[in-house]
Amino acid sequence: MYKITKKIGLLLFLTAGFAANTSAQSAIEALKLTDTDLLGTARFVSMGGAFTALGGDISTLSQNPAGIGVYRTNEVVTTLTIAPQSTQVTNLAGNSRNSKTRVNFDNLGFVGTFNFRGSMLRNINFGVAYNSRKNYARNYRVNYNSLNGSLTNAIAGLCSENPNNLLTSNGAYENGAAWLDVLAYDNFLIAYSPTATAANNSYYGLFADGSTSGNGYLDMRESGYNNEYTFNFGGNIADRVFFGIGVGVTDLKYELISDYGENLYGTNGETEIDATLYPMTTSEYSLYNELVLNGTGVNFKAGLIAYVTNSWRIGAAIHTPTYYSVRRTAYGDIINNYIYLENQLETQARSQSDTPVSTQHFSLRTPLRFMVGTSYQIGYKAIISADYEYTAYSKMKMSDENGYEDVYAYDNSDIGNYLKNTHTIRVGGEYRVTPQLSLRVGYSYTSSPVSDDWLDNRVYVPTAGTLPSYSLGRTKNNYSGGIGYRFRHVYIDAAYLHRRTSEEVMAYSAIPEKNISGSEIAHLITKNNNIILTFGVKF
């Protein structure tokens, strides 16, 4: 639950105040909401998801809807996944690891078939399915043993254009100051100096080169899901061409609890007590954030699969963007335990302030997706398949709930400039040991959706609200294998998936144009070793 704000006066601004004064969304959040993983039935996953030209699997209803045309009988199928996960963080402080095992219900579907005799149209099929596309659950911690800079300096650099009389709670609502600036100012993490000339800033933070030292930490706890409910229609023309169209309704929820703290000694700050300024020597502060994103969306898909020869198939599918309506709820606070000098005596003090709980709504248009694939059947013993997918991340758009994009002009500019279109390769194979028993193997790779400028801290990476931390994905690799057994009307499949994703974690961004360095980069490796079990009935 969200903490209850302690400043009763701020409740007056609960509806509009927070949204009016700081970006409620960012390209970073848009990227988070559009991320997906290799999930589905055991057969689909074990072959690397390379089913664009294969079909005949309930997971293809979310990939190439033409796959529904391959069905010759009715089918009901469900999938359970046991998902051990480990996250490893590596930086100058060393390694830290977090491990947890979850059980997920990833798949449920039904396909109905209507056969026709003596017609070029062999059958018409319809299907409904639930497919999990992403599970956000993950915890990790980053330790910083020796800080070379401070978030307080970065906040000071960002708010250098605000006169100091704006950085009050009422001023934030009335005059447009950002809440992160307000919290930092109210808790003495930044101070106003009209005569300051360093980097042309009017504000300065607590960290002074050569005299300040300290350490810090970042705790991140993520949870949530992205699920799709598909409704498909397709058919079979002369056993040579298969077609399909589909509507996908998506349901997502992303929750984040973030806690970033610094322990600074020999600080460059000061505190004000009864209109008198006193030098601050030590600050141990934490910035706490809660974020919840809830969204529903709709997309449309169309695809074809065709036999080139009796053994060789090709397939293609296109997915429109998903059009999301998203509700964003956020809260932040800062607690500062500090020591200041009064008449050369050290005095301990504590300050705390928080934002109101804010709720905003926005719209998101996710990337267009296009995929092609090919498969080859070797007699009755083996199948090999390969896919290529193109995802247009740079074409995403954000808008307000009425569809106006001007409100998010800067965010959309960041999307176009710093997000890249990704390329995914999927390959898979299946070998039939007996008519009932099959062995499978697969691999998939997805390139990074983020530009090198963001990954290498060459430009400022904007985030939303009072949450300065973020992670940027590099690549995804999936290695899989599996086994399947067919009875007369029942089949059981099992798969093992090893997923490895690589990311860079930043507590806050650099501001190169102001000569302010960002946080130390931490390398995050997330590994999943999923065991997937699918049970299906044909009738």
Side-chain angles (χ1 to χ4, degrees):
M1 292 181 62
Y2 288 92
K3 293 183 178 178
I4 302 300
T5 179
K6 300 175 181 59
K7 293 187 175 180
I8 302 301
L10 292 181
L11 292 175
L12 298 173
F13 316 127
L14 181 60
T15 302
F18 192 67
N21 297 285
T22 182
S23 170
Q25 293 79 44
S26 70
I28 296 294
E29 287 184 6
L31 186 62
K32 178 69 70 173
L33 294 180
T34 56
D35 189 26
T36 60
D37 285 328
L38 176 60
L39 296 170
T41 66
R43 184 173 184 241
F44 181 84
V45 172
S46 65
M47 296 179 66
F51 271 71
T52 300
L54 282 178
D57 187 281
I58 204 73
S59 294
T60 64
L61 273 63
S62 288
Q63 186 189 61
N64 183 356
I68 196 173
V70 177
Y71 279 88
R72 306 297 178 90
T73 60
N74 304 320
E75 183 172 320
V76 176
V77 61
T78 188
T79 299
L80 184 72
T81 300
I82 303 169
Q85 181 189 79
S86 69
T87 54
Q88 179 175 310
V89 175
T90 303
N91 66 344
L92 297 178
N95 296 333
S96 64
R97 184 185 297 271
N98 181 282
S99 299
K100 193 167 185 177
T101 298
R102 299 173 177 86
V103 178
N104 304 318
F105 177 63
D106 283 341
N107 176 267
L108 176 66
F110 166 77
V111 172
T113 300
F114 297 93
N115 296 306
F116 303 98
R117 295 181 180 179
S119 171
M120 289 288 291
L121 184 62
R122 298 288 195 263
N123 52 271
I124 290 291
N125 302 337
F126 71 94
V128 293
Y130 154 83
N131 286 309
S132 177
R133 306 200 308 171
K134 178 73 177 182
N135 189 310
Y136 291 107
R138 183 173 63 176
N139 300 341
Y140 60 90
R141 180 183 177 93
V142 184
N143 292 308
Y144 306 97
N145 283 349
S146 181
L147 296 176
N148 295 314
S150 170
L151 170 63
T152 64
N153 292 51
I155 296 173
L158 290 174
C159 70
S160 61
E161 303 303 320
N162 288 330
N164 64 334
N165 62 348
L166 291 189
L167 294 180
T168 64
S169 297
N170 288 348
Y173 170 66
E174 295 171 354
N175 300 308
W179 273 106
L180 185 57
D181 302 354
V182 173
L183 293 182
Y185 185 83
D186 284 352
N187 291 283
F188 313 112
L189 302 187
I190 61 174
Y192 181 68
S193 176
T195 61
T197 59
N200 297 317
N201 290 335
S202 298
Y203 288 82
Y204 60 91
L206 297 181
F207 197 93
D209 290 337
S211 61
T212 305
S213 62
N215 54 69
Y217 65 89
L218 173 66
D219 273 329
M220 303 289 279
R221 285 164 283 172
E222 298 175 289
S223 61
Y225 53 82
N226 186 333
N227 300 326
E228 183 176 52
Y229 304 86
T230 61
F231 305 87
N232 288 49
F233 170 84
N236 172 356
I237 301 175
D239 293 327
R240 307 300 294 181
V241 175
F242 309 91
F243 64 90
I245 58 174
V247 177
V249 178
T250 57
D251 173 32
L252 67 82
K253 183 175 185 179
Y254 174 73
E255 296 180 285
L256 171 67
I257 295 177
S258 168
D259 189 15
Y260 175 71
E262 294 180 349
N263 304 317
L264 300 175
Y265 310 100
T267 65
N268 193 38
E270 56 187 11
T271 184
E272 182 178 352
I273 301 175
D274 296 329
T276 302
L277 297 178
Y278 297 96
M280 183 188 302
T281 61
T282 300
S283 172
E284 297 183 358
Y285 79 88
S286 63
L287 168 61
Y288 175 88
N289 276 279
E290 294 183 4
L291 170 67
V292 179
L293 300 168
N294 287 281
T296 56
V298 62
N299 59 62
F300 301 91
K301 309 177 183 71
L304 288 172
I305 297 174
Y307 276 98
V308 179
T309 69
N310 289 336
S311 300
W312 179 24
R313 295 186 202 180
I314 57 173
I318 187 168
H319 296 198
T320 70
T322 299
Y323 297 88
Y324 274 114
S325 174
V326 182
R327 183 179 77 245
R328 182 186 196 272
T329 307
Y331 166 86
D333 74 27
I334 286 179
I335 299 174
N336 187 13
N337 294 295
Y338 59 94
I339 296 175
Y340 68 94
L341 294 179
E342 182 178 4
N343 299 323
Q344 301 303 312
L345 296 177
E346 290 189 341
T347 302
Q348 294 184 346
R350 185 178 191 270
S351 67
Q352 178 178 7
S353 60
D354 51 16
T355 72
V357 177
S358 69
T359 300
Q360 302 89 32
H361 296 82
F362 68 98
S363 298
L364 173 65
R365 189 181 75 201
T366 72
L368 175 78
R369 297 171 61 193
F370 175 74
M371 61 197 73
V372 294
T374 185
S375 66
Y376 192 84
Q377 183 172 329
I378 305 171
Y380 294 97
K381 298 293 289 185
I383 295 173
I384 55 174
S385 60
D387 288 1
Y388 167 77
E389 179 177 326
Y390 174 85
T391 306
Y393 276 101
S394 65
K395 302 301 181 183
M396 287 196 301
K397 292 293 181 182
M398 304 175 70
S399 62
D400 68 14
E401 54 189 319
N402 295 315
Y404 295 107
E405 296 179 4
D406 292 348
V407 178
Y408 298 99
Y410 290 107
D411 300 306
N412 289 329
S413 177
D414 285 336
I415 289 171
N417 292 332
Y418 301 115
L419 297 187
K420 299 188 298 185
N421 303 326
T422 61
H423 309 278
T424 299
I425 301 295
R426 298 185 286 261
V427 293
E430 180 178 58
Y431 179 75
R432 187 170 294 173
V433 180
T434 70
Q436 292 78 35
L437 178 65
S438 298
L439 302 178
R440 302 161 186 139
V441 66
Y443 169 75
S444 71
Y445 164 85
T446 301
S447 62
S448 172
V450 182
S451 74
D452 292 340
D453 283 341
W454 272 11
L455 288 171
D456 298 334
N457 294 305
R458 291 199 287 259
V459 295
Y460 171 63
V461 180
T463 55
T466 59
L467 180 66
S469 56
Y470 59 92
S471 62
L472 298 174
R474 285 191 177 268
T475 60
K476 289 184 182 180
N477 289 273
N478 294 283
Y479 308 86
S480 56
I483 187 170
Y485 195 87
R486 296 291 186 268
F487 301 93
R488 184 174 180 182
H489 298 293
V490 175
Y491 64 88
I492 300 173
D493 294 326
Y496 167 78
L497 169 69
H498 175 76
R499 179 185 302 118
R500 186 181 189 275
T501 59
S502 175
E503 297 171 79
E504 312 289 2
V505 178
M506 298 288 290
Y508 57 92
S509 175
I511 313 175
E513 63 271 21
K514 294 183 178 292
N515 298 316
I516 296 175
S517 61
S519 69
E520 175 190 316
I521 296 176
H523 303 282
L524 175 64
I525 302 295
T526 303
K527 298 179 181 179
N528 292 79
N529 294 284
N530 295 355
I531 299 172
I532 304 155
L533 303 172
T534 296
F535 176 79
V537 178
K538 296 177 180 289
F539 57 96

